Amino acid sequence: MDTKRKILVIDDEADLTQMIGYQFKAKGFEVQTAADGLAALEIVHQFMPDLIILDINMPRMGGIEFYSKICGTKGKPLYPVLVLTARANIKGLFQDLQIDGFMVKPFEIDKLVYEAELIIKKRSQQAPQAGLALFKGPRKICIVDNDQKTFDQLGNLFLNADYTVMPARSGAVAVEKMMQDVPDVALVHLGLTDIPGDIVIFKLSQMSKTMDVKYVLFTSKTALHDKQVMDRISTKTGILTFVEYNHLEDLLNTVNEVLSS
């Protein structure tokens, strides 16, 4: 790394904090630690971290309260935040917050370091150059569809067009996968069985890590839609293109156009 990046680790588990700090220092990071949100508030603005690794359950001041105190007037945190928690079931709580990453304990330390470096690179001045370098390889698409037949046909179609395909068979899986590995474009079926496709796109477009992904919402022309659903779609942000297709090739052509625009 050309310049020393700064990590603030906030967690009341001393052994874990020490291990995380050691790994990041070995990678050339400058590391500060705090045992809870109150202690972190005393140093965060002076330290000005490139990333905050934030536990949720801590004494005196927990992660959610600390998060609220480092947000600006528009509700966006002043620093990138990667949330750590032992409770995987509260992940949905953070889908409406502008966090950059989410990791469930226990985790592999190498994966945490990789995720942190990815977030910092995306938020730093080096991000545009990194994006150009990545785009020279195969374009990465996340296909979100719970219909097995359509999903298989779309996967083969995009693989044959030299895309790298990330499969997601539900809206919840799509959110989790794209937070871990950000694609260039996401092709999301409107009629998902767990979360409507337009809602999935809306949530992802509000999260800082995935807000720059190009989103295409699709459905077949033979599907029936009521007016309320269509009105809801028209008011959602994040949906770059909505396609009612006759042939699956229509979707490939649309994605190609979206990425070239």
Side-chain angles (χ1 to χ4, degrees):
M1 301 172 65
D2 295 331
T3 58
K4 209 164 191 178
R5 300 298 183 184
K6 299 178 180 179
I7 297 280
L8 175 58
V9 184
I10 310 172
D11 198 307
D12 61 326
E13 295 183 50
D15 291 343
L16 179 62
T17 302
Q18 185 178 17
M19 180 185 69
I20 293 173
Y22 175 80
Q23 292 293 331
F24 278 102
K25 287 176 182 178
K27 288 278 189 177
F29 287 84
E30 182 178 349
V31 180
Q32 289 271 16
T33 62
D36 55 46
L38 198 59
L41 281 179
E42 297 176 0
I43 61 175
V44 61
H45 298 306
Q46 182 178 1
F47 185 53
M48 297 185 65
D50 295 288
L51 177 66
I52 297 172
I53 297 176
L54 179 64
D55 186 31
I56 294 303
N57 296 315
M58 296 179 290
R60 298 204 302 168
M61 181 185 292
I64 295 176
E65 184 179 356
F66 171 83
Y67 175 93
S68 68
K69 291 183 180 297
I70 62 166
C71 285
T73 55
K74 294 184 179 181
K76 183 175 181 178
L78 300 175
Y79 313 97
V81 176
L82 191 161
V83 166
L84 297 179
T85 180
R87 298 169 58 193
N89 61 338
I90 68 168
K91 184 172 183 177
L93 172 66
F94 298 97
Q95 291 178 0
D96 294 326
L97 301 180
Q98 299 186 57
I99 65 166
D100 294 79
F102 182 95
M103 193 161 290
V104 178
K105 298 178 180 178
F107 52 83
E108 295 179 5
I109 189 65
D110 289 344
K111 189 173 182 180
L112 176 65
V113 172
Y114 171 81
E115 183 76 5
E117 289 179 329
L118 190 66
I119 292 170
I120 292 173
K121 183 179 289 186
K122 185 175 179 65
R123 293 285 292 262
S124 72
Q125 294 299 319
Q126 299 171 356
Q129 296 178 353
L132 289 173
L134 288 172
F135 202 73
K136 291 179 181 177
R139 294 163 294 182
K140 186 183 298 181
I141 183 170
C142 183
I143 299 176
V144 190
D145 197 335
N146 46 245
D147 180 78
Q148 182 70 53
K149 182 178 178 181
T150 304
F151 179 85
D152 290 343
Q153 291 174 337
L154 281 173
N156 289 330
L157 184 66
F158 279 91
L159 285 171
N160 290 333
D162 293 327
Y163 280 80
T164 297
V165 174
M166 291 171 51
R169 299 301 306 277
S170 69
V173 170
V175 172
E176 182 177 358
K177 281 197 171 186
M178 281 192 265
M179 285 296 291
Q180 294 291 332
D181 188 8
V182 181
D184 300 298
V185 60
L187 183 62
V188 184
H189 186 219
L190 172 61
L192 298 174
T193 54
D194 61 337
I195 309 171
D198 59 312
I199 303 297
V200 172
I201 292 175
F202 176 73
K203 288 181 176 296
L204 284 164
S205 69
Q206 300 304 299
M207 302 174 78
S208 58
K209 187 174 181 181
T210 51
M211 65 189 305
D212 295 328
V213 174
K214 295 180 183 295
Y215 294 100
V216 177
L217 183 69
F218 74 95
T219 187
S220 69
K221 280 189 175 293
T222 57
L224 297 176
H225 311 297
D226 61 44
K227 187 176 184 301
Q228 287 185 337
V229 171
M230 302 311 291
D231 288 344
R232 185 186 72 202
I233 291 172
S234 67
T235 62
K236 282 286 182 293
T237 61
I239 300 173
L240 186 64
T241 305
F242 177 45
V243 181
E244 292 183 276
Y245 69 92
N246 284 314
H247 307 286
L248 293 180
E249 288 77 9
D250 298 339
L251 298 177
L252 175 61
N253 293 333
T254 299
V255 169
N256 286 336
E257 290 173 3
V258 165
L259 287 175
S260 62
S261 62

